[in-house]
Amino acid sequence: MLRSPYLARTSPPLAAAMSQPLLVSDLRKFHQTVIFKPLVHIKIQELCIIVAQSSSPTDIDNSIPNPLPGLLGAFSLPNLRTLEIRGVPWPHEEFKSFLTRSNCPLETVILGAELKIRRRQRAECVALIPSLQIIVSQSEAS
């Protein structure tokens, strides 16, 4: 089990969340996490973050906050090459901070069709990493 005294005082099973999918209850608690110092993980080269939405309108829980800003703030991934994000709004400022902090050789960002990234935001990301390729998928299948 991974343990870090820097990560959080209020976080529930953050270590468990790194080795298995996050559950709805975990997302509520993770959003409340106070990050003291990002966890550096030097081996992760590919990361896929998918926040699944229910297909039934009666099962949708709108009280769940976007976990992506917190996740991007919790980690520094200096060897990350590919990042895929689906199912959540684009957290532009947090992503730029993550890129700067990680100083990673990121080559490709794959965004779900539902994500909206403006041309200006794309240009700002490419200014940080000139070789970065941002792909917005046309379907939900990756």
Side-chain angles (χ1 to χ4, degrees):
M1 179 180 283
L2 183 65
R3 295 174 192 253
S4 174
Y6 301 110
L7 276 177
R9 290 185 185 163
T10 61
S11 176
L14 186 58
M18 293 178 58
S19 62
Q20 56 188 302
L22 287 171
L23 301 174
V24 169
S25 61
D26 295 334
L27 289 177
R28 280 194 196 95
K29 294 173 188 173
F30 187 83
H31 181 72
Q32 299 167 358
T33 300
V34 177
I35 306 299
F36 295 102
K37 182 177 178 183
L39 174 69
V40 178
H41 196 302
I42 61 172
K43 293 188 177 185
I44 294 177
Q45 293 185 358
E46 294 183 1
L47 180 62
C48 180
I49 301 170
I50 299 173
V51 178
Q53 299 294 328
S54 172
S55 58
S56 169
T58 59
D59 292 340
I60 294 174
D61 186 351
N62 292 325
S63 67
I64 300 172
N66 181 354
L68 194 52
L71 286 171
L72 292 176
F75 298 105
S76 180
L77 306 175
N79 286 312
L80 188 66
R81 296 186 179 279
T82 303
L83 176 63
E84 181 174 354
I85 301 171
R86 295 178 183 275
V88 291
W90 177 246
H92 183 63
E93 294 304 319
E94 292 87 349
F95 180 71
K96 288 190 322 181
S97 294
F98 168 77
L99 286 181
T100 302
R101 181 179 58 256
S102 293
N103 194 24
C104 56
L106 192 62
E107 299 166 353
T108 307
V109 174
I110 303 167
L111 303 175
E114 74 286 350
L115 269 77
K116 306 295 185 225
I117 182 169
R118 295 184 173 103
R119 289 182 185 167
R120 177 188 53 79
Q121 292 174 328
R122 184 184 298 247
E124 289 176 7
C125 293
V126 172
L128 291 171
I129 302 178
S131 61
L132 184 63
Q133 183 178 36
I134 299 175
I135 301 168
V136 178
S137 67
Q138 297 304 314
S139 69
E140 289 302 340
S142 58

